[in-house]
Amino acid sequence: MASRRFFVGGNWKMNGNKESLLEVMNTLNTASLHEDTEVVCAAPSIYLDFARSGLDPRFGVAAQNCYKVEKGAFTGEISPAMIKDCGADWVVLGHSERRHVFGESDELIGQKVSHALLSDVCVVACVGETLEQREDGSTEEVVYAQTQVIAENVSDWGKVVLAYEPVWAIGTGRTATPEQAQSVHEKLRAWLRAHVSDDAADSVRIIYGGSVTAANCRELASQSDVDGFLVGGASLKPEFIDIINARA
């Protein structure tokens, strides 16, 4: 099996101002962190330059979204080219808030993934089911369908991190048990093996997102197919350091 470097993303969402985000960045810059963990912070688009200039180079910077074309009459959107121009190398696509609050379809998310990768921007691609879908037993059907559309648009799996984010566990305080997370991650890896390649299945990092905290991160990180986290609110708090060091 290929060695998969632990990956922790911090999704700042629509939070913070320059003063508060500078505090977050200073905390990260001065922290003692596990050197084998890759850390990427997803800043609001208006603060991408600020985040890239304020964070130590050991941290990556991501946008939280982008559009499917390089430029044009798309008011309010940003392109992968703009993300690169700000010095960032990552984008988060398909987050449940983009799907369920802003109505983004699987097709649109796939198009965004394709264009981001062709623009040399790495992608954290999110999949996950709602509580209703979990309770009616369709978790696998939902995440496989979402992953299928992403996979159809991936030109380089080396630039993709797959994030499993059960919608029912995001910002709710409810967290998938380590067993629940491992089960879905294991099935997603098996799906990659069956539908993409053995190499992709072995090398692609599948990370978990959904109310990850300092209290539960170590047990989650101990699961064999959990390769890291995508962290929301806790990424703005000092406990983010503990989450980054979950495997230290």
Side-chain angles (χ1 to χ4, degrees):
M1 180 178 292
S3 176
R4 298 188 295 269
R5 188 183 181 196
F6 203 66
F7 182 101
V8 177
N11 181 8
W12 296 349
K13 304 191 180 184
M14 195 179 73
N15 292 301
N17 53 31
K18 286 187 176 181
E19 181 180 7
S20 64
L21 294 179
L22 187 60
E23 291 182 14
V24 171
M25 292 188 287
N26 286 340
T27 297
L28 286 167
N29 290 342
T30 57
S32 177
L33 302 178
H34 189 27
E35 61 183 17
D36 290 332
T37 297
E38 183 173 6
V39 182
V40 175
C41 294
S45 60
I46 198 168
Y47 293 135
L48 283 173
D49 262 325
F50 182 68
R52 182 61 284 166
S53 62
L55 281 167
D56 187 275
R58 61 181 166 157
F59 300 105
V61 173
Q64 297 173 12
N65 188 33
C66 71
Y67 200 49
K68 63 180 180 179
V69 296
E70 182 179 4
K71 59 184 178 181
F74 304 104
T75 301
E77 292 289 344
I78 64 170
S79 69
M82 293 173 177
I83 293 168
K84 293 283 289 185
D85 199 37
C86 288
D89 294 309
W90 288 86
V91 63
V92 178
L93 294 173
H95 191 280
S96 67
E97 290 157 11
R98 298 304 312 177
R99 294 178 186 269
H100 298 291
V101 178
F102 298 99
E104 293 189 4
S105 65
D106 287 348
E107 180 184 17
L108 175 59
I109 291 162
Q111 292 168 338
K112 290 181 175 188
V113 168
S114 174
H115 183 60
L117 292 173
L118 292 174
S119 303
D120 198 31
V121 174
C122 299
V123 174
V124 177
C126 304
V127 301
E129 81 284 13
T130 64
L131 181 59
E132 181 182 11
Q133 289 165 337
R134 171 165 281 274
E135 291 180 339
D136 70 16
S138 59
T139 292
E140 291 173 41
E141 178 185 349
V142 170
V143 298
Y144 290 166
Q146 292 171 343
T147 305
Q148 173 71 44
V149 178
I150 290 166
E152 290 170 353
N153 288 280
V154 171
S155 53
D156 182 353
W157 281 100
K159 294 180 179 178
V160 176
V161 170
L162 193 61
Y164 168 58
E165 292 203 309
V167 181
W168 49 271
I170 298 174
T172 63
R174 297 182 59 174
T175 308
T177 66
E179 293 76 21
Q180 286 173 321
Q182 167 59 23
S183 175
V184 177
H185 283 226
E186 183 178 26
K187 290 170 181 175
L188 281 170
R189 201 172 302 285
W191 188 95
L192 290 172
R193 193 172 304 282
H195 297 277
V196 181
S197 68
D198 286 341
D199 181 63
D202 289 338
S203 63
V204 171
R205 292 172 289 183
I206 305 176
I207 64 176
Y208 171 77
S211 299
V212 178
T213 67
N216 60 31
C217 64
R218 288 188 178 276
E219 191 173 6
L220 285 162
S222 70
Q223 305 303 307
S224 60
D225 288 295
V226 176
D227 301 316
F229 305 116
L230 184 56
V231 185
S235 68
L236 294 165
K237 302 174 183 177
E239 69 176 308
F240 189 47
I241 304 303
D242 296 322
I243 296 170
I244 293 170
N245 291 331
R247 280 193 176 173

